[in-house]
Amino acid sequence: MKCQFDYSKEVRWERNFLKKKCKEIGVEKEFTEYQMRLSANYVGVFLLLHLAFTVLHCVLLLTTCMDRDKIYIDVGFYTVSAAVVTLILWPNANPSCVPKLRCKLYLPSVLAVVFMVFSDLSLNLYHYYMDDWIIGSFFDTYILFTIYMFLPIPYILPPLALGISVSVLYTSYFVIYLASKHRYEMANVTHFNYMSVELSHQFCLNLYGTFFRIMREIIVRSSFLDRQQYVMQDIWLRSARAQEKLFLHSILPPQIAQPIQEDIRNRIKFSEKHRNTPLNTRRDRIMAIQIHPDVSILYADIVNYTYLTTTLTVKKLVALLHELYARFDMAASRYTVQRIKFLGDCYYCVAGLTRPDPDHARCCLDFGLCMIDNIREVRAKEKLEIDIRVGVHSGALCAGVLGAAKLQYDIWGSDVVIANRLEGTGVPGHIHTSERTLQMVIEPTYTVQPGTEKARNDPFLQKHNVVTYLIPPNVKPRAVIDLDFVSVRIIDSETELEQQSSVGLELREEFQKMPVGPVSLRENFKEIFNLWGKNRHKEYIRTRPVIGIYLLHFRDPRLEYGYMHQPDYMLKYSILLAWVFGLTLSYIQYAHDTGMVKLGIIVDGVVILSLSILLFLTWYKKLCFLRYSTQDHKYSRISCCLFRVAESIQRSLIKRIGIYMYTIIAYFGIISVMLMDCDREEYEVVHIESKLYHYEPDMNMCFHPWMLTNMMCLIIGMSLIFTRIPFMMKVVVSALEALTYMIILFFQYGYIVHHSLTTNPYFEAEYAHCLLVIITLLSLYFKERQTEFNNKINYKWREELLKKQHDALIADQSITILLHNILPAHVANVYLTSLARHELYYEDYAMVAVMFASLHNFELDLPNLRVLNEIISEFDRIGRLSSGEDQNCGLYIYGSLWLRSAVLLSHKPREDYTRICYPGGPACTSLNFGLPQG
């Protein structure tokens, strides 16, 4: 049996993969800057926490100690230490002041740690030598949490080195120096066990900190990459929509294009939701007609075009038309004239169509003169006998789109036909215009000549009483549009560089906006005020953050449900840490076990065995990936089963919660064995007798309270750092653990705890133990709060990214549909896939069949346009049914003329695909040679 081994999802949560990915896409520098901002936020949280802890500690000392003279020195040391540490780290709490040099980052952190350790050990030495008072310290745990979680030391190795140094220093002082100097020799087995237990505790604290650093980097890098992908997707989507808009508006006016775009997108979304629902064919027929009562229409036709088609090669003819129409389109843009389309040698456009213009007649006439000047330029340049006839008329028309496929924007109406007739009866090199157009020019400056005899004899013009005039070209030619495509390419390349620069700038701006943590303290008070005050209104609910302030829950239940049920690809790291903690707790319990050896071995064995099985299940796939990632390996049936079990645990929230709760319960089982091994009554008797008769009692009669408290701190840490468990549940579980332990300290084993080492003279040991548990809980809560916030922001961005990708897919599909409804399919594919710009595209077929169909005696008014839409839609439907593989493609609708071509022989063109792409016009077009006139 060969199973599908897929490690692609897990590898995306590997630190090395994420680091490599950041370097590949070139955002490592931005990531480092973001890390500095995160570090500044962590330092700010630490300073608030440290000041609060110092105030709480000093208040407890002043209110609970009997002899205050002994503790004034302690209060002074703690106060000065907090002030100095705040001054040292305060610049690092401001992102703008965070230095970029590593040494400047390391120095404040190292100084702060050294000063905290110095203050702590100095107090211990002071009371030891001045008062002969041995006191303990929980600052080792607190300082280690501070090093790994809050100080702005980048990377992993530097904080690890600093943490190990602090652990070695504290272990050397408390375990080696004090024990050998004051009470016991280290050769004693009991105190060797005590030292090994202390080393195990320090090892777990450093491992915990390293694990947190690795997890935080993975989460932050993943969030950073998701944000980068989100921004790039957003930029691409905006670019795609701009491309779609530019292309569509070069063919259809915005007021027509917008409803067509929305209709196509709505149909795509409808088809996604109702895949099995057939669409109504009548609904598929698009008809968007608008009436424009006051516009000017221009028709232009190239003279001697038929001669050119027979004398020039196809490539040269297409190049000639390409240059002419590109010039015309650029001039049309300058004169605010909307080009409708060009059919072979016929080019027609309208002024005042997209935007009302009172001087639209002048725009059309000036544009016509510019066309004449341009064709003169081309004629002199190419040495060809070509000219142009131009007809201009002003009036009303209907404009819009007809048909079910191959959408074509066109204009209809009697005034459109008049303009066409004026062009056909005109004189080459002149504008043939109507009297109405000349009357609408606000300040006429043209030379006007009488119209042609052919126009006076035209039946249609006679029927509508059209008086015509000729406008000759200027003696001095106008400034013509020169198409230097080399310079255009240079401009485009510069535009691309500017776009790349703007993309990079936008990315940097977005990275600078990335949040670094939950809302500020001011927002916390605002939340409380709005929660209980009278200002809890709809506006506040609308503008409040999407993530809760304290328990960091999504206010949208759907987001919260999706977040909680996402797979946990970092579960194996949590299981590894839990396994190491289980070994350490079992060893500590075994080292202090005196009577219940059998029960302790059973509990420890069950815990270690179960955690080892979980460790093997979650790491087996990773080990297989490391071993066989570079080769094709056939996995056994057992391996496939193990893969499925691990994936099932990763995907199931219930199973992960079960493992999480079992781990916590197993830890408490180990602690319970230690508590059950202690005979409280016997301990009290022995302890009282040792005071009366001055002998040293057996310290292993019961558990060491500080060791138990340290174990509790590790359990609280494991409860909060376990990945992909609901944050609210972790906070509640850890708070219950701390509360339960403090109740046990005060009520169940109060005598033992009371006579353990304290941390300050006359400071009750119970308060010292509780203070360590509380500060551990608060420190880890704020640490995990930052991590949970980053996790949830990452998830929210990922969800937004999926929406962006879906929108981008719809935009891409709509562009494709629009292209396929305007261009032949293979030409549209060239446009979508080709990267060439401003290149000529044409096709030369060996033999084709061309069909023209027209309606005679068909007046193109608004009611008849509805009939025409139905007729053309049926033609399109019949063409699709008989087309085979796009062998038939409708090209144009020209008034009531319907043109269709069918490729009979040599479907592939003789020349390679290129493209027409120029400013002001469509990216690609199909050219139709030999279109009849009139």
Side-chain angles (χ1 to χ4, degrees):
M1 176 181 180
K2 185 176 181 180
C3 57
Q4 296 289 339
F5 181 81
D6 184 13
Y7 198 73
S8 58
K9 294 180 180 178
E10 287 89 342
V11 79
R12 293 177 183 176
W13 292 91
E14 299 284 347
R15 177 175 172 268
N16 292 334
F17 172 82
L18 293 171
K19 191 173 182 180
K20 181 180 178 182
K21 197 69 177 177
C22 286
K23 291 182 178 179
E24 283 180 357
I25 63 177
V27 295
E28 187 69 22
K29 179 181 177 182
E30 288 78 8
F31 171 76
T32 303
E33 294 176 354
Y34 180 60
Q35 278 279 62
M36 291 181 179
R37 291 174 52 218
L38 281 176
S39 299
N41 185 66
Y42 292 141
V43 171
V45 172
F46 165 72
L47 291 179
L48 290 176
L49 187 66
H50 186 59
L51 291 174
F53 168 60
T54 302
V55 171
L56 176 62
H57 194 186
C58 293
V59 169
L60 285 175
L61 289 175
L62 293 173
T63 56
T64 61
C65 294
M66 295 181 296
D67 189 356
R68 295 185 180 178
D69 293 336
K70 296 289 186 182
I71 55 92
Y72 282 144
I73 184 69
D74 301 68
V75 173
F77 255 87
Y78 294 143
T79 304
V80 172
S81 175
V84 172
V85 169
T86 302
L87 290 176
I88 292 173
L89 293 178
W90 181 255
N92 296 91
N94 187 355
S96 61
C97 298
V98 175
K100 296 184 178 181
L101 295 177
R102 295 184 187 178
C103 60
K104 292 183 179 180
L105 284 173
Y106 297 150
L107 187 59
S109 302
V110 172
L111 287 177
V113 170
V114 168
F115 196 82
M116 292 171 69
V117 173
F118 172 77
S119 301
D120 189 27
L121 293 184
S122 295
L123 278 177
N124 280 267
L125 290 172
Y126 172 80
H127 291 297
Y128 174 66
Y129 285 106
M130 298 298 296
D131 303 322
D132 196 23
W133 201 310
I134 299 176
I135 59 175
S137 174
F138 54 77
F139 272 90
D140 54 347
T141 301
Y142 177 64
I143 291 173
L144 286 175
F145 283 151
T146 299
I147 290 171
Y148 288 105
M149 298 174 190
F150 299 113
L151 293 185
I153 309 176
Y155 312 110
I156 295 174
L157 292 180
L160 180 61
L162 186 59
I164 292 175
S165 301
V166 171
S167 295
V168 170
L169 188 60
Y170 271 100
T171 303
S172 301
Y173 174 76
F174 283 104
V175 178
I176 300 176
Y177 176 75
L178 285 183
S180 61
K181 194 79 175 173
H182 184 70
R183 292 180 297 177
Y184 307 106
E185 295 296 332
M186 290 311 298
N188 189 302
V189 175
T190 301
H191 294 92
F192 178 80
N193 288 341
Y194 178 78
M195 184 183 72
S196 64
V197 167
E198 179 64 21
L199 288 175
S200 300
H201 172 66
Q202 295 292 331
F203 168 77
C204 283
L205 288 177
N206 284 279
L207 179 64
Y208 185 91
T210 304
F211 177 85
F212 167 74
R213 279 275 177 162
I214 294 174
M215 293 298 99
R216 186 174 73 180
E217 183 176 352
I218 289 175
I219 291 169
V220 173
R221 283 190 182 273
S222 179
S223 300
F224 196 77
L225 290 173
D226 282 347
R227 189 61 177 174
Q228 188 267 348
Q229 191 176 1
Y230 173 82
V231 173
M232 293 302 296
Q233 195 76 37
D234 184 59
I235 294 173
W236 184 91
L237 181 59
R238 282 189 275 118
S239 176
R241 285 178 174 170
Q243 181 188 18
E244 178 186 23
K245 183 178 180 181
L246 179 64
F247 174 76
L248 194 59
H249 290 179
S250 69
I251 299 176
L252 307 177
Q255 64 269 27
I256 295 292
Q258 186 64 31
I260 293 178
Q261 285 179 288
E262 293 299 325
D263 182 71
I264 290 175
R265 287 175 181 161
N266 291 335
R267 293 189 187 197
I268 293 174
K269 294 178 181 178
F270 180 84
S271 64
E272 289 178 350
K273 295 180 180 179
H274 308 85
R275 296 183 182 276
N276 299 324
T277 304
L279 290 175
N280 188 354
T281 55
R282 297 276 301 179
R283 236 184 112 211
D284 288 341
R285 298 175 182 177
I286 299 173
M287 179 178 176
I289 302 295
Q290 291 182 335
I291 299 175
H292 299 273
D294 188 18
V295 294
S296 292
I297 309 111
L298 180 148
Y299 269 80
D301 186 71
I302 298 175
V303 180
N304 287 336
Y305 176 73
T306 305
Y307 172 76
L308 295 176
T309 59
T310 57
T311 56
L312 298 179
T313 63
V314 175
K315 185 174 183 179
K316 191 169 183 180
L317 177 63
V318 173
L320 176 66
L321 293 176
H322 172 46
E323 182 174 357
L324 276 176
Y325 290 152
R327 289 171 181 267
F328 294 165
D329 284 343
M330 294 178 72
S333 176
R334 188 172 70 182
Y335 290 106
T336 64
V337 176
Q338 174 71 37
R339 188 253 292 161
I340 304 301
K341 66 175 66 171
F342 45 84
L343 302 175
D345 60 336
C346 179
Y347 184 104
Y348 61 104
C349 55
V350 179
L353 186 69
T354 58
R355 185 176 59 190
D357 186 355
D359 206 14
H360 54 79
R362 175 182 289 277
C363 291
C364 252
L365 293 174
D366 287 346
F367 176 54
L369 293 173
C370 185
M371 294 175 77
I372 295 171
D373 293 337
N374 271 279
I375 205 163
R376 283 181 181 179
E377 179 77 12
V378 173
R379 179 173 60 192
K381 177 182 175 182
E382 301 292 337
K383 296 182 174 52
L384 295 172
E385 291 297 325
I386 58 173
D387 212 329
I388 192 169
R389 289 193 305 268
V390 180
V392 178
H393 177 62
S394 300
L397 56 80
C398 296
V401 174
L402 300 179
K406 302 301 176 188
L407 304 180
Q408 299 290 329
Y409 181 74
D410 211 340
I411 53 178
W412 303 274
S414 58
D415 290 317
V416 175
V417 179
I418 291 173
N420 190 12
R421 294 286 185 177
L422 289 175
E423 175 270 314
T425 58
V427 177
H430 291 67
I431 296 177
H432 195 196
T433 183
S434 63
E435 182 180 25
R436 184 177 181 182
T437 299
L438 289 176
Q439 290 174 351
M440 296 186 68
V441 177
I442 296 176
E443 295 180 359
T445 57
Y446 306 104
T447 302
V448 179
Q449 300 174 355
T452 63
E453 183 68 24
K454 191 175 181 181
R456 288 191 288 271
N457 297 328
D458 186 275
F460 192 83
L461 297 179
Q462 287 180 352
K463 178 182 176 181
H464 290 82
N465 299 319
V466 178
V467 180
T468 66
Y469 297 92
L470 288 174
I471 298 178
N474 296 330
V475 178
K476 183 179 180 181
R478 294 165 174 255
V480 298
I481 305 297
D482 187 16
L483 290 184
D484 185 357
F485 289 108
V486 176
S487 62
V488 171
R489 289 193 185 98
I490 294 174
I491 293 173
D492 285 337
S493 63
E494 293 176 353
T495 305
E496 288 179 0
L497 291 175
E498 292 177 359
Q499 290 175 350
Q500 292 175 3
S501 177
S502 64
V503 168
L505 181 62
E506 185 170 351
L507 273 175
R508 286 191 293 273
E509 290 177 353
E510 287 294 330
F511 291 150
Q512 291 174 359
K513 295 177 185 177
M514 286 178 65
V516 293
V519 294
S520 62
L521 189 63
R522 182 180 63 183
E523 293 294 330
N524 290 344
F525 286 116
K526 183 179 178 182
E527 174 80 4
I528 296 174
F529 177 76
N530 283 283
L531 186 64
W532 300 105
K534 298 181 179 179
N535 294 334
R536 187 175 175 83
H537 47 75
K538 294 182 179 180
E539 180 64 21
Y540 164 69
I541 294 175
R542 186 181 65 83
T543 57
R544 65 180 180 175
V546 295
I547 298 177
I549 293 178
Y550 301 104
L551 295 178
L552 299 181
H553 59 284
F554 281 116
R555 303 195 189 276
D556 186 351
R558 293 171 296 180
L559 279 176
E560 185 68 24
Y561 180 85
Y563 172 78
M564 289 192 302
H565 286 79
Q566 61 181 329
D568 182 11
Y569 296 114
M570 295 189 294
L571 178 65
K572 54 182 175 290
Y573 300 109
S574 299
I575 298 296
L576 176 61
L577 186 65
W579 180 77
V580 174
F581 276 25
L583 284 178
T584 303
L585 296 177
S586 297
Y587 174 74
I588 294 173
Q589 181 266 324
Y590 179 76
H592 287 79
D593 200 344
T594 58
M596 306 182 69
V597 178
K598 185 176 180 180
L599 179 60
I601 291 176
I602 293 174
V603 172
D604 295 344
V606 170
V607 171
I608 298 305
L609 178 62
S610 57
L611 291 178
S612 298
I613 292 174
L614 288 173
L615 183 69
F616 177 75
L617 284 175
T618 53
W619 277 86
Y620 183 72
K621 194 173 183 180
K622 166 84 171 178
L623 296 175
C624 291
F625 173 75
L626 294 175
R627 175 66 178 84
Y628 301 110
S629 60
T630 58
Q631 55 182 303
D632 188 17
H633 181 72
K634 184 177 181 181
Y635 294 95
S636 65
R637 186 167 304 199
I638 297 177
S639 296
C640 296
C641 182
L642 293 175
F643 295 157
R644 287 193 293 270
V645 171
E647 291 169 358
S648 174
I649 296 173
Q650 286 177 340
R651 291 192 297 265
S652 174
L653 175 65
I654 301 300
K655 294 176 183 177
R656 297 199 305 269
I657 291 178
I659 293 174
Y660 169 75
M661 292 305 302
Y662 171 77
T663 303
I664 303 303
I665 293 171
Y667 291 164
F668 270 91
I670 296 173
I671 289 181
S672 299
V673 172
M674 295 180 63
L675 295 177
M676 292 169 62
D677 194 28
C678 176
D679 189 341
R680 291 176 295 163
E681 295 178 357
E682 182 182 358
Y683 181 86
E684 292 177 11
V685 172
V686 171
H687 189 268
I688 293 173
E689 289 180 350
S690 67
K691 296 294 183 181
L692 292 174
Y693 300 108
H694 304 286
Y695 69 87
E696 196 69 30
D698 184 7
M699 301 301 296
N700 286 323
M701 290 183 60
C702 277
F703 58 86
H704 291 284
W706 279 109
M707 286 300 161
L708 195 66
T709 301
N710 288 333
M711 292 172 69
M712 196 64 225
C713 291
L714 292 178
I715 295 175
I716 292 174
M718 193 67 234
S719 302
L720 281 170
I721 205 171
F722 214 96
T723 58
R724 287 290 186 266
I725 300 298
F727 181 65
M728 184 183 300
M729 181 178 184
K730 293 194 289 187
V731 171
V732 171
V733 168
S734 57
L736 288 176
E737 290 170 353
L739 181 62
T740 303
Y741 183 70
M742 287 188 288
I743 291 174
I744 292 173
L745 287 184
F746 276 99
F747 298 103
Q748 196 74 10
Y749 297 93
Y751 185 85
I752 300 174
V753 175
H754 179 75
H755 290 88
S756 63
L757 285 179
T758 184
T759 56
N760 299 95
Y762 299 103
F763 187 51
E764 299 289 345
E766 298 95 318
Y767 296 130
H769 285 270
C770 291
L771 195 60
L772 175 58
V773 172
I774 290 172
I775 193 60
T776 299
L777 178 63
L778 290 178
S779 298
L780 297 180
Y781 164 76
F782 281 105
K783 176 273 303 178
E784 188 60 25
R785 187 168 178 256
Q786 299 287 112
T787 305
E788 182 73 7
F789 177 80
N790 289 332
N791 263 326
K792 290 204 166 180
I793 288 295
N794 185 18
Y795 175 77
K796 185 174 181 295
W797 286 338
R798 204 176 300 120
E799 290 297 306
E800 292 177 352
L801 176 62
L802 292 176
K803 292 180 182 178
K804 288 287 183 183
Q805 289 174 340
H806 183 258
D807 291 343
L809 178 62
I810 291 178
D812 187 49
Q813 290 176 348
S814 64
I815 291 174
T816 303
I817 291 172
L818 282 169
L819 284 173
H820 284 206
N821 275 279
I822 295 173
L823 303 174
H826 63 286
V827 179
N829 291 332
V830 171
Y831 172 75
L832 290 171
T833 58
S834 175
L835 298 178
R837 305 186 64 185
H838 302 291
E839 294 181 3
L840 185 62
Y841 170 79
Y842 71 97
E843 297 176 2
D844 183 12
Y845 290 95
M847 185 177 294
V848 297
V850 182
M851 183 186 76
F852 291 88
S854 62
L855 299 175
H856 291 281
N857 300 322
F858 191 82
E859 187 175 354
L860 293 175
D861 53 11
L862 188 58
N864 285 338
L865 286 177
R866 301 183 184 276
V867 178
L868 181 62
N869 183 55
E870 294 294 323
I871 295 172
I872 294 173
S873 297
E874 286 301 314
F875 287 171
D876 289 337
R877 185 182 65 84
I878 295 170
R880 285 200 301 265
L881 292 175
S882 62
S883 62
E885 295 183 358
D886 200 33
Q887 296 295 305
N888 296 270
C889 54
L891 295 179
Y892 289 114
I893 303 167
Y894 177 50
S896 58
L897 174 68
W898 187 72
L899 168 64
R900 192 166 192 89
S901 67
V903 181
L904 299 182
L905 297 175
S906 184
H907 178 70
K908 292 184 179 180
R910 290 180 179 175
E911 302 289 338
D912 293 335
Y913 283 160
T914 54
R915 294 180 1 188
I916 292 179
C917 182
Y918 52 88
C924 301
T925 184
S926 298
L927 295 180
N928 178 29
F929 304 113
L931 183 68
Q933 302 301 309

